[in-house]
Amino acid sequence: FSFDEILTDLVPENLRTEPQGNSRITQRHQCRRLAHFLLWQLLKTAGKSTALLGQIYRTQSGRPQFPVENIDFNISHSGDWVAVLLHINESEKSAVGIDIEFSKKRSFSALMAHFAPQAEQEWFAKQPDKELAFYRCWCLREAVLKSQGVGIVKLSSVTHLPEPQQIYSDYCPKGALLFTDELPFYFAAFINQSKIQPHFYHWNGKKLVEKNIKKSLIYQVNE
């Protein structure tokens, strides 16, 4: 991706030079550069000023955001994959959160026991695809918490009701959440509005190309 096409004034200092360190540090740096690049592309696609890139600041919780209330974004990366969510709400304050997880070997049952209540663990135990069920429980929690810059230490505070597809949390506003396993990674996105009609794009090396997602779950949050 042609990161150098972005005007220098729109790039934060920490993304302008390559870091010194091991491969993991280099990978994380490259993911941050790609996220900034994708956000630049999405702003252009949405017809919004790319000058917003140079105005990003961090809240007290460390969450990056724009200095305008009706446009919000959130970023997630896992492995070599990066996803960026941009939301524009012309009538009220926007709040979004996103989480992606590239599958890796984990003790799913042990992790579920760490943050999920007994009823949800029993639901999980009955699911034929344990990996899918786990990442569904995990990603949706992260997405709603990230909308307010809250970390995973509060995972257990999110109530997940998988059958009626409802989520409750004191750490996010009312809204809706989308979850899908149709991408190369598990994906969850929260938006503080009752209906979600997202446009998905992927970067093909030259431009953003719209992608059709056919299979997804829609949750109501704090409804």
Side-chain angles (χ1 to χ4, degrees), residues 167-186:
I167 298 168
Y168 296 93
S169 173
D170 292 333
Y171 296 96
C172 75
K174 183 186 294 187
L177 181 143
L178 179 149
F179 173 82
T180 182
D181 64 338
E182 198 171 310
L183 298 163
F185 42 78
Y186 297 97

Side-chain angles (χ1 to χ4, degrees), residues 1-11 15-18 30 33-34 36-37 40-41:
F1 56 97
S2 48
F3 189 80
D4 293 339
E5 290 182 12
I6 308 175
L7 292 175
T8 303
D9 291 347
L10 303 182
V11 179
L15 294 183
R16 295 177 189 174
T17 56
E18 290 291 335
Q30 188 74 341
R33 281 167 63 92
L34 177 54
H36 199 75
F37 176 83
W40 178 59
Q41 291 287 339

Side-chain angles (χ1 to χ4, degrees), residues 86-87 176 178 191 193-200 210 218:
L86 177 69
H87 181 237
L178 179 149
I191 300 175
Q193 61 186 53
S194 58
K195 294 183 180 180
I196 296 182
Q197 295 178 312
H199 293 277
F200 283 87
E210 194 153 7
I218 303 294

Side-chain angles (χ1 to χ4, degrees), residues 74 76 96-101 108 111-124 132-162 166-173 176-179 186-191 219-222:
N74 205 225
S76 183
V96 300
I98 186 175
D99 184 52
I100 68 170
E101 297 289 340
F108 298 132
L111 283 168
M112 286 292 295
H114 183 67
F115 65 82
Q118 187 62 36
E120 190 176 359
Q121 291 182 53
E122 291 173 0
W123 170 86
F124 170 80
L132 173 59
F134 170 79
Y135 282 111
R136 177 177 165 185
C137 297
W138 180 280
C139 289
L140 60 84
R141 282 179 161 86
E142 275 224 58
V144 296
L145 292 174
K146 286 180 65 182
S147 72
Q148 303 299 306
V150 180
I152 61 173
V153 293
K154 296 295 184 180
L155 280 181
S156 59
S157 72
V158 179
T159 300
H160 169 218
L161 305 178
Q166 295 176 338
I167 298 168
Y168 296 93
S169 173
D170 292 333
Y171 296 96
C172 75
L177 181 143
L178 179 149
F179 173 82
Y186 297 97
F187 173 98
F190 166 80
I191 300 175
Y219 277 79
Q220 295 305 306
V221 180
N222 290 333

Side-chain angles (χ1 to χ4, degrees), residues 20 23 29 34-35 43 50 54 60 65 68 72 78 101 118 134 153 160 167 170-171 179 188 192-193 207 217:
Q20 301 299 315
S23 59
H29 178 77
L34 177 54
L43 285 169
T50 56
Q60 289 185 342
Q65 62 186 50
V68 291
D72 195 21
S78 182
E101 297 289 340
Q118 187 62 36
F134 170 79
V153 293
H160 169 218
I167 298 168
D170 292 333
Y171 296 96
F179 173 82
N192 65 324
Q193 61 186 53
K207 62 181 180 179
L217 297 174

